[in-house]
Amino acid sequence: MTPRHPLIPGRAGAVSAALALVLASAATGSPVSAAGGEAAEVPQGTVAYRSVAQFTTAGKPRDLMLHPESKKLYVASDDRSETVDVNESGLNVLDPADGRLRSTVGQAPGPTGTLGRRAVRQLIAPLPGDGAVFFYPLRGIGTAKDGDTAAAGAWVPGAAVTHAAAGLTAGTVLVAQGSVLSEVDIATAAVKRTVTLEGGDGFAVDAARGAVWFTDVGNRRLYRIDAATFKVTATVELPAGEGFGGFTEVDPGTGAVWVGLDSSVVVHDATGKRLDTLRGAGTDMPRAVSFDATTHEAYVVWQDAGDTSQPGSDNDGALTVHRTRDLQQVVKPVVLPGTHAQLGSAAVAVEPGGATVFVSDPVAARITRLERATSPRVTRSPADRAVRAGARVSLTAEAEGTPRPAVAWQVSTDAGKTWRAVEGATSPAYTFTAALSDHGRRYRAEFSNDIGVARTAPAALTVTVADSTTGGRGDGGGDTGSTGGSGQADSTGQAGSAAQGSDGGSSGIPGNVGGVGVGSAGATGGGGTHTAGGALASTGVAVASLAGSAVVLTAAGWVLMRRARPRTER
């Protein structure tokens, strides 16, 4: 017996961008680090899908359905030939998070009503609350839910069923038996009405517009059947090709008809007018499509032809995602290694909103779980800062992305030409004490996740000298340490000395009796107002008093000279 593995780790859909930065820090807290590598940026908000897990718990998967209410993953399965001791065919129910097998409904009625082991080929519609309506070979229509020991079912009369879909009225399904389309009661498989086409075996239902689109690949035609009259109302020509058909599906939102033909998808609008043709890579053939009503996107699975002797065949398939309004691809194609069409068609199921996608691979008997991811998008960059040395600086940056991006702060000392990492700065807010040596540095935050890297705009830091604790200072930013003007001496006195101020300017010190020194820079240097408590020239009162004393001394000198002057004869 081959062991059944509940979970096999998947390959990473994208490689995380390496930062490769050697980190260091100065004792002052200023960011200084060794040179580091530059991780490549991608457009911010870039969307990609990455493989996160592979499930091998559901036999050989043929179809997938995420139940809209119970959220369980239903899998229509055949048995795997390598598990000879266990029959894995039937309706398998998985936990979509980890692939754990919840239950298998393997028994269903045969043409005479006898229960037996039945493979399930196609999931038709969800049942209310939980469960599924499904088709099982050769003509069975069954219903079952998680935990049932056996399915209820009935057999459609006539030829083998080639395709089935949800009916246009409650309690019914539509089945194709070759070129015959019938409306059938689910519970009894009784045929309610029938229309016979020229050819074909597959179709899609547009319930919102009351139409069924039936594909006749052999004659390269598409027939529109009116739901009310059950008659053909239009015929649309399909492009010529090799005659290989993939799928026919209707986008519920727009009514557009998507037809997989050979190695292309031909898209028509709700009236049958051709809109465009989508092509895959090399020999890849479109084998399944699913539409997400929330994002208005279509998910197409392409399988390689599986013949490596053909040019363009590489044995790998792909998942492509397209906007339904203009058919443009919205993500880079996701490579599905080893997915080819030699042993059956793939299937796809999409979680509403597109966060998770499941793709089956009947060749490898596995289901790949893909998760949507977006590269970081910066929503806040740090702002320029101007501070005095010794002040605390806080820079903040923010970004969004899936998975949540990691952050690393970087610094540049050459105007942004090169950048170095800041050791330990791995939070959205980076706080440090500014030093004079930090003046002119630039800072930015780098955000990274599995999809790519995004960086903020840089913030420039300006650091000025801290306030002095002694001497006068010019609050207006005057020249530091300018010399006060020397006092002018008369013929009998020596020049007054000048005492230098520490920040704002200098104060004149009066000289001996003959001269008076008044500091010019202390009163006018730098255009600032100077604080009291420094030299004499720092206060207007002191200057005024000194000036008054000079006037008195000058007057006294004039009187003495007047008295000493000799009298002249009249």
Side-chain angles (χ1 to χ4, degrees):
M1 175 178 176
T2 302
R4 305 175 69 181
H5 303 287
L7 178 63
I8 298 177
R11 300 177 182 175
V15 179
S16 177
L19 297 179
L21 297 170
V22 181
L23 308 176
S25 173
T28 60
S30 301
V32 179
S33 56
E38 282 287 301
E41 288 188 274
V42 300
Q44 295 191 23
T46 297
V47 178
Y49 279 90
R50 53 182 186 148
S51 173
V52 297
Q54 292 178 336
F55 310 148
T56 59
T57 50
K60 182 179 178 179
R62 303 298 297 264
D63 200 6
L64 303 174
M65 182 185 74
L66 270 173
H67 196 281
E69 296 176 66
S70 70
K71 312 302 181 184
K72 299 170 185 175
L73 181 62
Y74 278 79
V75 185
S77 301
D78 279 337
D79 186 33
R80 289 189 294 172
S81 59
E82 59 267 30
T83 55
V84 294
D85 295 337
V86 177
N87 190 332
E88 299 170 303
S89 62
L91 182 68
N92 287 291
V93 187
L94 305 185
D95 184 329
D98 57 12
R100 177 176 58 88
L101 181 65
R102 297 178 58 92
S103 65
T104 298
V105 183
Q107 299 287 317
T112 61
T114 303
L115 288 176
R117 191 79 192 200
R118 315 290 178 185
V120 176
R121 292 295 171 83
Q122 186 183 350
L123 296 167
I124 299 174
L127 290 173
D130 189 27
V133 182
F134 56 90
F135 155 60
Y136 59 97
L138 295 171
R139 305 189 310 273
I141 303 297
T143 58
K145 65 180 184 300
D146 181 21
D148 287 348
T149 57
W155 281 59
V156 180
V161 172
T162 54
H163 190 73
L168 294 162
T169 58
T172 67
V173 295
L174 294 174
V175 299
Q177 294 167 289
S179 60
V180 177
L181 178 68
S182 301
E183 185 180 55
V184 175
D185 181 78
I186 293 176
T188 65
V191 177
K192 293 177 174 287
R193 47 184 180 165
T194 298
V195 60
T196 301
L197 291 306
E198 294 183 35
D201 60 5
F203 62 93
V205 178
D206 184 2
R209 297 160 188 81
V212 179
W213 292 93
F214 202 96
T215 305
D216 181 356
V217 176
N219 294 313
R220 312 301 284 189
R221 293 175 181 173
L222 188 64
Y223 307 107
R224 184 187 187 278
I225 302 169
D226 180 72
T229 62
F230 228 53
K231 293 182 179 180
V232 176
T233 59
T235 300
V236 177
E237 295 297 323
L238 295 173
E242 299 176 358
F244 186 81
F247 58 79
T248 302
E249 297 289 351
V250 171
D251 172 17
T254 64
V257 187
W258 293 52
V259 181
L261 289 174
D262 305 316
S263 58
S264 65
V265 179
V266 183
V267 184
H268 299 79
D269 69 11
T271 68
K273 177 183 176 181
R274 188 179 303 176
L275 297 175
D276 205 350
T277 300
L278 311 178
R279 301 190 182 279
T283 61
D284 288 356
M285 300 176 292
R287 305 304 291 155
V289 64
S290 183
F291 301 96
D292 178 34
T294 303
T295 61
H296 305 289
E297 293 173 347
Y299 296 75
V300 182
V301 177
W302 305 76
Q303 288 178 277
D304 187 76
D307 183 358
T308 54
S309 65
Q310 296 184 25
S313 178
D314 58 5
N315 214 40
D316 293 337
L319 172 73
T320 59
V321 186
H322 309 259
R323 283 194 300 264
T324 55
R325 60 178 173 84
D326 58 11
L327 308 182
Q328 295 299 307
Q329 286 194 41
V330 295
V331 303
K332 182 179 180 180
V334 182
V335 176
L336 301 173
T339 302
H340 59 77
Q342 292 294 312
L343 296 177
S345 296
V348 59
V350 181
E351 180 183 48
T356 307
V357 179
F358 299 89
V359 179
S360 68
D361 181 355
V363 176
R366 67 189 176 199
I367 300 167
T368 299
R369 176 187 167 104
L370 302 165
E371 289 185 355
R372 189 173 191 143
T374 56
S375 66
R377 185 177 71 85
V378 174
T379 58
R380 180 180 179 181
S381 290
D384 293 347
R385 296 296 307 275
V387 300
R388 292 190 180 276
R392 295 290 285 173
V393 178
S394 183
L395 303 175
T396 303
E398 296 176 355
E400 59 186 15
T402 305
R404 184 177 180 179
V407 60
W409 284 90
Q410 298 176 337
V411 62
S412 173
T413 58
D414 54 8
K417 294 179 182 179
T418 61
W419 293 87
R420 301 169 184 267
V422 179
E423 183 178 8
T426 57
S427 298
Y430 169 47
T431 302
F432 61 97
T433 300
L436 279 176
S437 59
D438 295 328
H439 176 71
R441 290 184 174 182
R442 299 185 182 185
Y443 299 86
R444 71 183 184 187
E446 181 178 78
F447 293 91
S448 62
N449 64 9
D450 286 352
I451 307 306
V453 172
R455 302 181 181 97
T456 66
L461 180 64
T462 302
V463 183
T464 56
V465 178
D467 292 346
S468 176
T469 58
T470 62
R473 57 173 290 270
D475 291 337
D479 294 336
T480 301
S482 58
T483 303
S486 59
Q488 180 64 40
D490 66 9
S491 59
T492 59
Q494 67 183 44
S497 62
Q500 184 173 333
S502 64
D503 186 26
S506 299
S507 303
I509 305 297
N512 294 332
V513 176
V516 178
V518 180
S520 61
T524 60
T529 301
H530 298 264
T531 59
L536 180 61
S538 299
T539 65
V541 175
V543 173
S545 176
L546 182 58
S549 300
V551 171
V552 172
L553 291 172
T554 302
W558 182 83
V559 171
L560 291 174
M561 291 175 63
R562 179 75 172 168
R563 290 178 178 177
R565 182 176 299 175
R567 293 179 181 271
T568 59
E569 295 291 336
R570 292 192 179 187

